[in-house]
Structure formats: C-alpha cells, structure tokens
C-alpha cells in the first residue's frame, strides 16, 4: 500500500484575541493603562451585578457614556487590516471589547466574550437580547415581559457564556494573533493555552516582552495600528 505523507495543507485559519488596546488608537480608553478606565473609576461601582442592584442609574449612565464614545469612534488601521485578512484566510475574531469597531471595519466573524455595548438584555430572561438604537438605555426601558433592560455586558463575577465557543475556535487555529490585551482577565487570558503548541502565535502590544513562556510566540512590540497591518501584510505574503 502506498504510504502517503499527510499533507497538512496551507495554514488557512487565523484566530484573533483582541482587547482594549486595539481600539486605543480609535480614541477609546483602555482599562489598565495610565489613563485606563479602572484607574479612573471603581469597577466595583460600575461593572458588577452588585453595582447594578445598588445603583442601576449610575451603571446605565456609565455604559451610555461609553456607548456614545464608541459611536463617535472610527475603526483604525488594525481593525481594517484584520478585515482585509479575510480575503486570504478564514479569520475568526474573539474580542474582549464591547465596541463594534471590528464589525464596522468589515470583520464578518466576531465573537464578543464580554458582551456588546449596542445591545440590551432582559433582566427577567437573559436570552432576550435587543439592539439599542442610539446611545441611551434608561431606567424604565423594559423588555416585553415588563422587566428592566440592562446592558448586554459580562460584569465581573458573571459567567462568560461564549468562552467554550472561543476555546473550540482557539483549538482549531493554524495561526493565533493576540492584540491589545494585558491578559489579566480570565478566562479570556487563558485562551492562548488552547491553541495548538505548534501553531505560530503573535502578540502585538507596545508593552509586549520578547521572552514569553508561550511556545511559538513572536512578540511585536508596537502599537496595533502599525503592528497589525505589518503582520497582516507578512501573513498574506507568506512571510510570517
Ligand atoms: N496598540 C496595542 N496595544 C495597546 C495600545 C495600542 N495602541 N495601547 C495600549 N495597548 C495595550 C496595553 O499595553 C495593554 O496590554 O493594550 C492592553 C490593554 O489592557 P487592558 O486595559 O487591561 O484591557 P484588556 O486586556 O482588554 O482588559 C480585559 O478587562 O475590565 C475588563 O472586561 C474588561 O474586556 C476587558 C478586560
């Protein structure tokens, strides 16, 4: 019987894990950099179920403020480069971001691990999710069951329902790109450990350290709007 080498075929599936840093050059603040949101505001008062129970108006106003900023922001070269990559690879975006800049840049397959700013959710039935038209979600905005609508955001201490889906995406990645995340929030930060060891991994972040315990990881010490387009060009040219 003829022994045929198994031909792995071209590396065709790119999975991306993005964080707040990819939207920084679009003018949206990160969380843990110098002027980060959690260095300015207390997450315990704005992004937990307890905060919502204690002061829903404050929580609604916080996300209205962020929603308005996200609507006024534009995708940057990093978002557009990942959208362009779709012409050459199967690209799956797993983002911790709740803005819609990946979608507005043209990425077709975006999984929001931590929810979406432009959606609201019934407090009586979490499966009832609604688009928010405009930037405001107010006390008194109710679902058809008559319950108050809340931001469709995963708050600290809440389950991350889409994580299992993200794990199976990571497990099938031929190439894995991490951009703009401090990798301090779990389970999102553990995603890279589900990527096959032999798959090439790239970390685009101005603070990335060259020596990483993660196998096959190349640190690109650069901002996303420059580092991601450069990496995308190299992947398309087959140079990375
Ligand atoms: N380009 C690329 N990376 C950048 C840029 C930039 N222009 N500016 C900052 N960064 C990097 C920072 O060096 C840092 O590593 O982006 C990262 C931002 O880290 P965080 O502020 O912690 O944001 P993130 O990792 O997305 O936070 C994860 O925490 O509060 C929760 O739910 C929230 O999704 C968020 C999660």
């Amino acid at each position: 019987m003829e022994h045929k080498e198994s031909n792995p075929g071209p590396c065709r599936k790119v999975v991306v894990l993005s964080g707040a840093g990819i939207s920084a050059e679009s003018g949206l603040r990160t969380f843990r950099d110098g002027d980060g949101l959690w260095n300015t505001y207390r997450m315990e008062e704005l992004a937990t179920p307890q905060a919502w129970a204690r002061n829903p108006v404050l929580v609604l106003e916080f996300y209205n403020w962020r929603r308005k900023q996200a609507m006024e922001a534009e995708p940057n070269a990093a978002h557009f480069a990942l959208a362009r990559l779709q012409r050459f690879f199967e690209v799956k975006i797993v983002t911790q971001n709740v803005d819609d800049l990946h979608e507005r840049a043209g990425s077709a397959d975006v999984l929001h691990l931590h929810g979406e700013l432009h959606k609201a959710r019934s407090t009586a039935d979490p499966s009832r999710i609604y688009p928010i038209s405009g930037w405001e979600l107010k006390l008194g905005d109710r679902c058809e069951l008559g319950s108050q609508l809340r931001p469709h955001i995963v708050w600290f201490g809440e389950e991350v329902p889409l994580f299992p889906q993200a794990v199976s995406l990571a497990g099938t990645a031929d190439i894995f790109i991490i951009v703009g995340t401090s990798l301090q929030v779990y389970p999102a930060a553990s995603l890279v450990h589900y990527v096959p060891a032999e798959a090439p991994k790239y970390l685009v972040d101005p603070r990335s350290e060259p020596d990483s315990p993660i196998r096959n990881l190349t640190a690109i010490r650069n901002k996303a709007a420059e580092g991601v387009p450069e990496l995308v060009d190299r992947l398309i040219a087959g140079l990375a």
Side-chain angles (χ1 to χ4, degrees):
M1 172 169 22
E2 182 193 347
H3 174 68
K4 280 174 71 60
E5 281 295 313
S6 69
N7 173 358
C11 283
R12 303 308 296 160
K13 185 170 184 177
V14 178
V15 177
V16 180
L17 173 65
S18 68
I22 198 171
S23 297
E25 288 155 280
S26 296
L28 298 182
R29 291 163 68 174
T30 64
F31 294 95
R32 296 173 182 82
D33 287 326
D35 65 343
L37 288 172
W38 301 144
N39 293 335
T40 314
Y41 305 102
R42 287 172 43 78
M43 65 169 86
E44 295 78 8
E45 291 170 5
L46 298 168
T48 65
Q50 295 76 11
W52 172 253
R54 195 170 42 243
N55 190 342
V57 170
L58 177 65
V59 174
L60 286 169
E61 286 174 351
F62 175 63
Y63 287 97
N64 288 346
W65 169 65
R66 289 183 61 196
R67 193 172 300 112
K68 193 162 188 286
Q69 290 187 314
M71 288 171 74
E72 289 162 359
E74 292 299 329
N76 63 58
H79 298 103
F80 285 116
L82 293 176
R84 181 161 56 91
L85 191 61
Q86 293 172 124
R87 298 207 299 265
F88 304 88
F89 293 81
E90 182 187 358
V91 181
K92 304 280 188 184
I93 309 272
V94 176
T95 187
Q96 300 171 88
N97 300 338
V98 293
D99 63 55
D100 60 350
L101 297 181
H102 280 300
E103 291 91 337
R104 283 166 53 197
S107 285
D109 205 324
V110 183
L111 186 153
H112 286 269
L113 275 180
H114 295 161
E116 298 179 63
L117 261 182
H118 300 292
K119 290 181 181 169
R121 191 162 84 210
S122 160
T123 47
D125 174 358
S127 68
R128 291 172 192 264
I129 296 166
Y130 310 83
I132 298 173
S133 59
W135 62 279
E136 269 191 304
L137 182 61
K138 298 189 293 296
L139 207 57
D141 289 349
R142 300 181 185 287
C143 74
E144 65 266 24
L145 301 176
S147 81
Q148 173 67 45
L149 291 176
R150 59 163 273 183
H152 181 45
I153 301 288
V154 177
W155 285 327
F156 289 96
E158 293 189 315
E159 288 296 309
V160 182
L162 295 182
F163 186 65
Q165 201 177 323
V167 166
S168 57
L169 283 180
T172 58
D174 294 310
I175 297 169
F176 194 71
I177 300 174
I178 307 168
V179 49
T181 174
S182 61
L183 292 171
Q184 287 182 30
V185 173
Y186 287 79
S190 67
L191 207 54
V192 67
H193 302 302
Y194 293 91
V195 178
E198 69 279 2
K201 304 162 190 73
Y202 301 91
L203 171 57
V204 182
D205 189 313
R207 292 189 325 179
S208 57
E209 298 301 326
D211 51 339
S212 158
I214 299 165
R215 275 193 52 199
N216 279 334
L217 185 128
T218 304
I220 299 172
R221 205 177 168 86
N222 202 344
K223 290 187 169 186
E226 192 176 320
V228 174
E230 282 174 3
L231 172 60
V232 162
D233 288 344
R234 289 174 59 78
L235 288 172
I236 292 170
L239 300 175

